[in-house]
Amino acid sequence: MKLLRIILWLAVLVAGLLLLFLPRPDDRATIKSSGDSLGGDYILTSHKGEKISSSDFKGSYQLIYFGYSFCPDVCPLELTKITTALTKLSDSGYDISAVKPLFITVDPERDTVEELAKYMTGFHPSFIGLTGSVTDIKAVAKDYKIYFSKGQDEGGFYLMNHSDVIYLMGKDGEFLKLFSSMDAPADIAATLSKLLKRK
Ligand code: NI
């Protein structure tokens, strides 16, 4: 009988510990919304016409921005922000070869390889522009929780509505940090300076 009581006590203790340490439903939601499950595998085409797989970036940090080359305002600002941050880091002696800045189009119908090739010349030379089929792009955007939609077509010209966030991903493709339009180049540089080695 004594043994049975000990076993019962142990069972209660284990159940109690489990309740304490198992994530509660809200905790799980928080982890998810902070982007723990962000990202995924893909194969797209670069602005140089090369097939690029997400696994090619294993071992590198990635700054990922989703947008489109015909964007009149926000996209160029954000890509310039990344460009400024990388230039600043490089000028301060950091080895920026460990960071891959990626621009993934949400407008693959207009953003062909040729279009992207022209567009990417306006930004940091290490930038990789990525395009693909509409289906491919939809899948990648979904994995990265990026919203986009086509605006009204006016005589062949249209705008795209899209999320405006820069993701910093780690060497295994894991989500590290999100930069919003409120962040300045200095904020991105400050975060990366803690991760990069000096030349
Ligand atoms: Ni844009």
Side-chain angles (χ1 to χ4, degrees):
M1 283 314 275
K2 203 173 179 190
L3 185 69
L4 188 69
R5 215 185 294 166
I6 291 170
I7 289 169
L8 264 173
W9 267 111
L10 276 175
V12 170
L13 192 71
V14 167
L17 282 174
L18 276 177
L19 276 177
L20 266 179
F21 291 108
L22 274 181
R24 266 146 275 172
D26 322 5
D27 293 344
R28 261 179 255 147
T30 319
I31 291 166
K32 215 169 178 181
S33 67
S34 77
D36 200 44
S37 60
L38 205 88
D41 296 333
Y42 58 80
I43 295 174
L44 295 171
T45 305
S46 81
H47 69 283
K48 291 177 178 166
E50 299 157 329
K51 285 274 171 238
I52 299 280
S53 157
S54 47
S55 61
D56 295 342
F57 302 119
K58 214 169 162 58
S60 300
Y61 294 104
Q62 303 161 57
L63 284 170
I64 308 182
Y65 187 77
F66 286 78
Y68 66 114
S69 74
F70 288 83
C71 182
D73 40 32
V74 179
C75 289
L77 278 178
E78 296 299 290
L79 298 185
T80 301
K81 202 192 269 183
I82 294 174
T83 299
T84 308
L86 292 176
T87 306
K88 193 177 154 79
L89 283 163
S90 182
D91 290 351
S92 313
Y94 288 95
D95 180 10
I96 58 163
S97 65
V99 192
K100 305 288 179 219
L102 309 181
F103 174 65
I104 304 180
T105 184
V106 293
D107 184 17
E109 288 170 271
R110 281 186 299 186
D111 280 340
T112 57
V113 168
E114 295 72 33
E115 263 323 311
L116 280 185
K118 271 189 272 165
Y119 189 62
M120 298 327 291
T121 60
F123 307 102
H124 198 275
S126 61
F127 251 110
I128 301 171
L130 294 171
T131 187
S133 69
V134 173
T135 314
D136 291 341
I137 293 295
K138 273 187 185 161
V140 181
K142 189 165 178 256
D143 283 346
Y144 282 88
K145 298 181 169 54
I146 292 291
Y147 156 84
F148 72 96
S149 72
K150 196 171 168 174
Q152 204 184 332
D153 199 322
E154 286 169 25
F157 188 80
Y158 57 88
L159 295 174
M160 299 292 291
N161 302 304
H162 65 93
S163 309
D164 176 28
V165 288
I166 298 168
Y167 290 126
L168 172 62
M169 309 297 285
K171 292 183 169 181
D172 285 312
E174 76 280 17
F175 170 79
L176 294 182
K177 197 177 163 87
L178 180 153
F179 298 100
S180 76
S181 56
M182 303 298 286
D183 288 301
D187 298 312
I188 299 174
T191 300
L192 283 174
S193 70
K194 291 176 201 136
L195 303 171
L196 300 177
K197 293 187 188 110
R198 286 188 175 268
K199 280 183 276 197

